[in-house]
């Protein structure tokens, strides 16, 4: 049942956020398993091929992450209203969109894979192995995208423990399949890609069964006219388009950061790549509160619960800032030790150490941006989210071009942290005329058990 403002407590926020953090931490496990198995094949080209192929799918699927985020917001609002029919229809529309995109990827797989691997610039043998990996994994593209929708549905319905269980299932199946296909059937890198595809298929099957059983009464009542509702389809496409542009802008900013690091030499490039792991670890933790905010804010908006909306924002923001402070203290105290774990090269350690203070500041500078992303997605105010990202991306471009010649790599890190801080400030200023305007009144919420 959706939580009203009186039900929303610190314990409730933590009960939602912590399983999401654990679910997030399972996501790199598939890549880690693939890397470990490829690393024991005879020759470095196998590991290089898996690395290149994994990078292709990371960017490809991250670009379609709007399927998860858009679904969470729409489902959470229907959940808050207690409208099971609207909830089921939102999921079916999102699944249809995911399947359409996935089938398009299958049709375009050969030119797409060839183009991207060519741009990544690996050796001929590494590219050949990457092609084998991608050729096995690409067939699960529709299933992987449907899994995004299923995850969005689970988060929107606040079933975070089930989301964690589903992610664990996918990783367990991947581990068993990759060992069977590579060591049992001798399929090499192609078997690693196929195993990941099988794991995605298992996740889709389990998620589909769970989805069907959870809303068993709603499916017979769905009508084609409801699913084809023009206004609902326009809203779905609009939300997903806005999130896609926002994500593309974020990816472009990360690419620009890497490019400017590369212009300063291999040592600085490697140091920046190493330090970005600090940001990745931080994102896994703080995104748990952002995802919790998506579900809680969406539910409050759907229910017209203005006090609940404000309380959800306040509680999630408080815990997120607490988490950011903890990250900052850990990075400040243990940063050199963490760098030592990541590399044993003295020159790289020394170079990375010069820029570690920026990583201690990064959680504080970035936390509001992460949290407000979740708030705006939950409220489905994605146009404002897209506009803020475009403005901040242009600001990052200008700042980096101005500060790099003056301060070197310190200027690059300063401009990147300013980019994240500006995202948080911009969304904070936009919230009163977007997020809170959605719930000027507070009609009684229907608390049906959906």
């Amino acid at each position: 049942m959706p939580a009203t403002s009186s039900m929303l407590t610190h314990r409730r926020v933590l009960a939602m956020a912590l399983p999401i953090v654990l679910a997030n931490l399972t996501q790199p496990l598939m890549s880690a398993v693939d890397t470990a198995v490829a690393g024991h094949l005879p020759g470095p080209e196998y590991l290089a091929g898996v690395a290149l192929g994994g990078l292709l799918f990371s960017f490809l699927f991250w670009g379609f992450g709007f399927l998860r985020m858009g679904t969470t917001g729409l489902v959470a609002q229907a959940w808050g209203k207690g409208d099971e029919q609207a909830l089921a229809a939102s999921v079916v529309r999102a699944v249809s969109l995911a399947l359409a995109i996935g089938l398009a990827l299958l049709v375009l797989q050969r030119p797409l894979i060839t183009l991207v691997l060519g741009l990544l610039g690996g050796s001929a043998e590494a590219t050949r192995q990457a092609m084998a990996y991608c050729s096995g994994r690409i067939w699960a593209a529709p299933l992987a995208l449907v899994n995004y929708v299923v995850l969005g549905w689970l988060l929107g319905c606040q079933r975070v423990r089930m989301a964690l269980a589903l992610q664990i299932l996918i990783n367990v199946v991947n581990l068993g399949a990759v060992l069977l296909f590579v060591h049992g059937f001798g399929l090499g890198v192609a078997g690693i890609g196929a195993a990941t595809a099988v794991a995605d298929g298992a996740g889709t099957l389990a998620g589909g069964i769970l989805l069907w059983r959870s809303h068993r009464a709603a499916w017979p009542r769905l009508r084609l006219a409801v699913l084809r509702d023009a206004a609902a389809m326009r809203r779905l496409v609009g939300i997903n388009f806005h999130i896609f542009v926002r994500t593309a802008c974020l990816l472009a900013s990360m690419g620009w950061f890497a490019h400017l690091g590369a212009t300063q030499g291999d040592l600085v490039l490697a140091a920046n790549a190493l330090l970005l792991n600090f940001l990745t670890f931080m994102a896994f933790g703080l995104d748990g509160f952002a995802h919790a905010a998506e579900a809680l804010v969406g539910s409050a908006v759907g229910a017209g619960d203005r006090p609940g909306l404000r309380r959800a924002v306040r509680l999630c923001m408080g815990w997120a800032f607490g988490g950011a402070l903890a990250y900052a203290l850990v990075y400040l105290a243990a940063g050199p030790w963490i760098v030592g774990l990541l590399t044993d090269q003295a020159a790289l350690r020394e170079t990375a150490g010069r820029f570690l203070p920026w990583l201690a500041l990064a959680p504080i500078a970035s936390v509001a941006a992460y949290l407000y992303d979740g708030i705006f997605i939950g409220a489905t105010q994605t146009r404002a989210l897209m506009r803020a990202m475009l403005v901040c991306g242009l600001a990052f471009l200008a700042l980096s071009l101005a500060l790099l010649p003056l301060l070197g790599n310190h200027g690059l890190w300063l401009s990147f942290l300013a980019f994240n801080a500006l995202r948080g400030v911009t969304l904070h200023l936009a919230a009163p005329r977007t997020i809170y305007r959605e719930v000027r009144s507070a009609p009684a919420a229907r608390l049906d058990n959906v």
Side-chain angles (χ1 to χ4, degrees):
M1 293 178 65
T4 62
S5 57
S6 61
M7 297 165 56
L8 189 54
T9 63
H10 290 282
R11 185 174 181 177
R12 173 67 173 165
V13 171
L14 288 178
M16 289 194 61
L18 294 181
I20 298 173
V21 171
L22 294 176
N24 286 344
L25 290 174
T26 67
Q27 294 179 19
L29 289 180
M30 291 181 71
S31 296
V33 168
D34 292 351
T35 298
V37 172
H40 287 81
L41 294 175
E45 66 276 8
Y46 297 104
L47 181 55
V50 170
L52 288 175
L55 188 61
L56 183 153
F57 282 101
S58 293
F59 279 100
L60 185 65
F61 289 156
W62 194 13
F64 294 119
F66 58 77
L67 291 166
R68 200 282 303 162
M69 291 180 273
T71 301
T72 299
L74 292 171
V75 166
Q77 290 184 21
W79 170 261
K81 292 177 183 177
D83 190 343
E84 186 175 13
Q85 190 84 350
L87 190 157
S90 295
V91 172
V92 172
R93 293 188 195 101
V95 167
S96 300
L97 181 59
L99 290 174
I101 295 172
L103 291 174
L105 292 177
L106 292 184
V107 171
L108 300 172
Q109 61 175 286
R110 184 58 57 179
L112 177 64
I113 293 173
T114 302
L115 173 63
V116 175
L117 292 181
L119 292 174
L120 291 175
S123 67
E125 183 58 27
T127 300
R128 188 176 74 83
Q129 295 298 333
M131 183 70 73
Y133 173 87
C134 293
S135 297
R137 186 174 177 182
I138 190 65
W139 290 101
L143 303 179
L145 297 181
V146 168
N147 285 341
Y148 279 6
V149 176
V150 172
L151 180 58
W153 161 68
L154 288 171
L155 295 180
C157 291
Q158 304 181 21
R159 303 180 70 174
V160 291
R161 293 183 181 179
M162 192 60 67
L164 172 60
L166 195 59
Q167 295 303 306
I168 292 174
L169 170 67
I170 291 173
N171 280 280
V172 169
V173 172
N174 179 67
L175 175 61
V178 75
L179 293 176
L180 176 65
F181 290 173
V182 175
H183 297 296
F185 298 157
L187 298 179
V189 169
I192 298 175
T196 306
V198 168
D200 286 329
T204 302
L205 178 61
I209 294 173
L210 183 63
L211 184 61
W212 178 265
R213 294 183 63 183
S214 297
H215 304 289
R216 190 176 301 163
W219 305 120
R221 300 199 305 268
L222 282 180
R223 296 291 181 265
L224 185 59
V226 174
L227 298 177
R228 294 173 58 186
D229 179 82
M233 287 301 297
R234 283 195 300 270
R235 188 184 184 206
L236 174 66
V237 172
I239 288 171
N240 288 333
F241 174 75
H242 298 153
I243 298 175
F244 175 77
V245 173
R246 169 257 180 201
T247 304
C249 184
L250 180 59
L251 289 173
S253 298
M254 296 298 295
W256 179 248
F257 179 91
H259 168 71
L260 291 184
T263 64
Q264 302 175 74
D266 289 346
L267 192 57
V268 171
L269 173 62
N272 283 349
L274 185 150
L275 293 174
L276 284 174
N277 285 284
F278 286 69
L279 293 181
T280 301
F281 298 147
M282 176 186 72
F284 283 141
L286 299 184
D287 271 355
F289 298 103
H291 293 345
E294 289 179 32
L296 294 172
V297 166
S299 177
V301 169
D305 184 3
R306 190 183 184 93
L309 171 61
R310 291 192 175 277
R311 183 164 177 79
V313 171
R314 185 168 64 252
L315 290 181
C316 291
M317 189 69 76
W319 279 106
F321 269 96
L325 180 60
Y327 270 105
L329 293 175
V330 169
Y331 287 171
L332 190 63
W337 177 75
I338 297 173
V339 168
L341 291 178
L342 295 174
T343 181
D344 59 358
Q345 300 179 37
L348 185 52
R349 285 184 179 183
E350 191 276 331
T351 302
R354 294 205 307 268
F355 308 112
L356 265 176
W358 296 111
L359 275 302
L361 293 174
I364 305 301
S366 306
V367 61
Y370 293 170
L371 209 285
Y372 270 115
D373 275 354
I375 292 169
F376 274 71
I377 288 170
T380 59
Q381 290 295 321
T382 51
R383 185 186 300 275
L385 192 66
M386 176 187 69
R387 289 173 175 169
M389 181 63 80
L390 290 172
V391 170
C392 295
L394 291 174
F396 172 53
L397 176 65
L399 280 172
S400 61
L401 290 175
L403 294 177
L404 185 65
L406 297 175
L407 302 174
N409 201 50
H410 286 289
L412 179 57
W413 276 104
L414 174 58
S415 61
F416 186 71
L417 264 60
F419 162 65
N420 278 339
L422 186 59
R423 286 170 55 199
V425 170
T426 304
L427 292 173
H428 177 74
L429 294 176
R433 64 179 184 274
T434 52
I435 303 299
Y436 298 112
R437 189 181 63 184
E438 288 294 295
V439 284
R440 289 189 182 278
S441 59
R446 290 164 49 198
L447 299 178
D448 302 332
N449 187 0
V450 298

